[in-house]
Amino acid sequence: MTSPVADPPQPTLLGIGEAAARLGTSERALRYYQQLGLITPSGRTPGGIRRYSEDDLERVSRIRELQELLGFNLEEIRSILENEDRLQAVRAEYRSETTDANRRRELVQESLALQIDLKDKVETKLDRLQRFRDDLEARAERMRQVLADAD
Amino acid sequence: MTSPVADPPQPTLLGIGEAAARLGTSERALRYYQQLGLITPSGRTPGGIRRYSEDDLERVSRIRELQELLGFNLEEIRSILENEDRLQAVRAEYRSETTDANRRRELVQESLALQIDLKDKVETKLDRLQRFRDDLEARAERMRQVLADAD
DNA sequence: TTGCTCCTCACGTCACGTGAGGTGGC
DNA sequence: TTGCTCCTCACGTCACGTGAGGTGGC
């Protein structure tokens, strides 16, 4: 399915400037997330320049979503990402049977519980936002009425 | 319609402690909003103690909603509140005909435009949040499947 | 060599948190 | 007088913004 010519050895790694531009964030933010251990760029050039992969970018996207959309702080985001990373690790082990089945099952159940907890928070926020929008719509309708009556 | 006995002269003004507790915020935050001119408590005792009315509390609630739910900063919130206050003032003038009709109509139209702008931002956020929730739900479903298959 | 992008400090800012030290009414 | 709630500084913190001064490859 892949191209008949050889894949490039570097699967398009980006400098911090390009990475920040694509993500719509700042270079400073990327360095700060790294300082807190939330992301580590896939590589560095011998000169010390950070190189970001597509997976790195997606991870940062996730951080931004949790921050802007949900309002979590970076400490909370760290623990959410830890949970997701742990789940990924367990999935890898499902293939290379190194952990026993009960333990794996336990880990997945734990992750699931945390996911459901997160989903509940999102639902709550959704409900509040919908009420806010409905209220705005009602206000706008009243104002349109005022304008119509003034004719 | 009101009670036959005389209304109390003070319609339940609260100290900053009670006000903060009811709002689920901090005393410091209330003082900070006042410092920025976002709210001014209805009164002060001769001793200098702040007194908050029900209207004051609702205004603070609005500030918190715009902050937590929508993610606006306090400068943005100031301008949103200014718009809402201006609309309130125009409504008052609709009764005591002191401004001419064209000018009033202009002001309402301006307020309406800003309201619609705000509503669009809320809709965008709602869409993103819904997609986030759906994604979480899909992940949870996959995890439940994994657990079921393990039986 | 000149530009450009990157690097690491390090101080500034916003929205408060958290005492420090003091006043005021039951 | 003792508690309690309130007051005004003022320094600390989180999540970056914003230069300062320097390195490194086309």
Side-chain angles (χ1 to χ4, degrees), chain A residues 62-77 80 118 121-122 125, chain B residues 67-71 125 129 132:
Chain A
R62 185 105 190 132
I63 293 172
R64 301 297 294 178
E65 255 189 323
L66 290 166
Q67 213 183 6
E68 296 178 4
L69 219 52
L70 280 308
F72 290 117
N73 66 36
L74 296 183
E75 196 44 46
E76 292 165 330
I77 291 174
I80 292 172
L118 181 56
K121 285 178 187 166
V122 175
K125 190 142 194 173
Chain B
Q67 211 184 7
E68 296 178 4
L69 219 52
L70 281 306
K125 190 142 194 172
L129 248 191
F132 191 93

Side-chain angles (χ1 to χ4, degrees), chain A residues 89-109:
Chain A
V90 174
R91 281 200 185 171
E93 287 181 9
Y94 261 85
R95 294 177 187 83
S96 67
E97 315 260 346
T98 55
T99 316
D100 76 290
N102 280 350
R103 177 66 184 143
R104 283 187 321 223
R105 192 190 166 81
E106 232 176 79
L107 288 170
V108 173
Q109 260 164 348

Side-chain angles (χ1 to χ4, degrees), chain A:
Chain A
M1 285 300 181
T2 62
S3 152
V5 297
D7 293 3
Q10 312 279 74
T12 60
L13 296 178
L14 302 177
I16 197 171
E18 263 287 273
R22 296 234 186 142
L23 290 163
T25 181
S26 68
E27 301 180 13
R28 180 63 165 100
L30 293 181
R31 294 196 188 98
Y32 186 60
Y33 299 153
Q34 182 181 353
Q35 186 182 323
L36 297 187
L38 296 178
I39 30 139
T40 312
S42 293
R44 288 237 193 189
T45 65
I49 288 180
R50 279 167 259 251
R51 297 275 126 185
Y52 293 87
S53 70
E54 287 301 322
D55 281 359
D56 293 339
L57 297 195
E58 274 182 47
R59 190 176 177 84
V60 177
S61 278
R62 185 105 190 132
I63 293 172
R64 301 297 294 178
E65 255 189 323
L66 290 166
Q67 213 183 6
E68 296 178 4
L69 219 52
L70 280 308
F72 290 117
N73 66 36
L74 296 183
E75 196 44 46
E76 292 165 330
I77 291 174
R78 174 207 300 285
S79 83
I80 292 172
L81 290 182
E82 262 169 23
N83 179 46
E84 294 180 357
D85 290 347
R86 208 150 38 90
L87 181 64
Q88 273 298 94
V90 174
R91 281 200 185 171
E93 287 181 9
Y94 261 85
R95 294 177 187 83
S96 67
E97 315 260 346
T98 55
T99 316
D100 76 290
N102 280 350
R103 177 66 184 143
R104 283 187 321 223
R105 192 190 166 81
E106 232 176 79
L107 288 170
V108 173
Q109 260 164 348
E110 221 179 291
S111 273
L112 181 55
L114 289 171
Q115 285 265 5
I116 289 175
D117 193 72
L118 181 56
K119 217 195 70 182
D120 284 351
K121 285 178 187 166
V122 175
E123 301 277 12
T124 302
K125 190 142 194 173
L126 259 175
D127 287 350
R128 289 183 60 193
L129 247 191
Q130 267 156 4
R131 246 171 287 153
F132 190 92
R133 181 204 46 192
D134 293 345
D135 185 57
L136 274 183
E137 179 53 38
R139 285 188 198 209
E141 192 45 49
R142 280 204 304 271
M143 291 169 73
R144 276 189 283 262
Q145 202 57 47
V146 167
L147 288 172
D149 289 352
D151 282 339

Side-chain angles (χ1 to χ4, degrees), chain B residues 22-45:
Chain B
R22 296 234 187 142
L23 290 162
T25 181
S26 68
E27 302 182 11
R28 181 63 165 100
L30 294 181
R31 293 194 188 100
Y32 187 60
Y33 299 154
Q34 181 180 355
Q35 187 182 323
L36 297 187
L38 296 179
I39 31 138
T40 312
S42 293
R44 288 238 192 187
T45 65

Side-chain angles (χ1 to χ4, degrees), chain B residues 33-148:
Chain B
Y33 299 154
Q34 181 180 355
Q35 187 182 323
L36 297 187
L38 296 179
I39 31 138
T40 312
S42 293
R44 288 238 192 187
T45 65
I49 289 179
R50 279 166 260 249
R51 297 275 125 184
Y52 293 87
S53 69
E54 287 302 321
D55 281 359
D56 293 338
L57 297 194
E58 272 182 48
R59 189 176 178 83
V60 177
S61 277
R62 186 103 188 135
I63 293 172
R64 301 296 294 180
E65 254 189 324
L66 290 165
Q67 211 184 7
E68 296 178 4
L69 219 52
L70 281 306
F72 290 116
N73 67 34
L74 296 183
E75 196 43 45
E76 293 165 329
I77 291 173
R78 175 207 300 285
S79 82
I80 293 172
L81 289 182
E82 262 169 22
N83 179 45
E84 295 180 357
D85 291 347
R86 210 151 37 90
L87 181 63
Q88 272 298 97
V90 174
R91 282 199 185 174
E93 285 180 12
Y94 260 85
R95 295 180 187 81
S96 68
E97 314 261 343
T98 56
T99 316
D100 76 290
N102 278 351
R103 179 64 185 142
R104 284 188 321 223
R105 194 190 165 80
E106 233 176 79
L107 289 169
V108 173
Q109 259 164 349
E110 222 180 290
S111 272
L112 180 56
L114 289 171
Q115 285 265 4
I116 288 174
D117 194 72
L118 181 57
K119 217 194 71 181
D120 284 350
K121 286 179 188 166
V122 175
E123 301 278 12
T124 302
K125 190 142 194 172
L126 259 174
D127 287 350
R128 289 183 59 193
L129 248 191
Q130 265 154 7
R131 243 170 288 152
F132 191 93
R133 182 205 45 193
D134 292 346
D135 185 57
L136 275 182
E137 179 53 40
R139 288 188 197 207
E141 191 45 47
R142 279 205 304 272
M143 289 169 74
R144 276 189 283 261
Q145 201 57 47
V146 166
L147 287 172

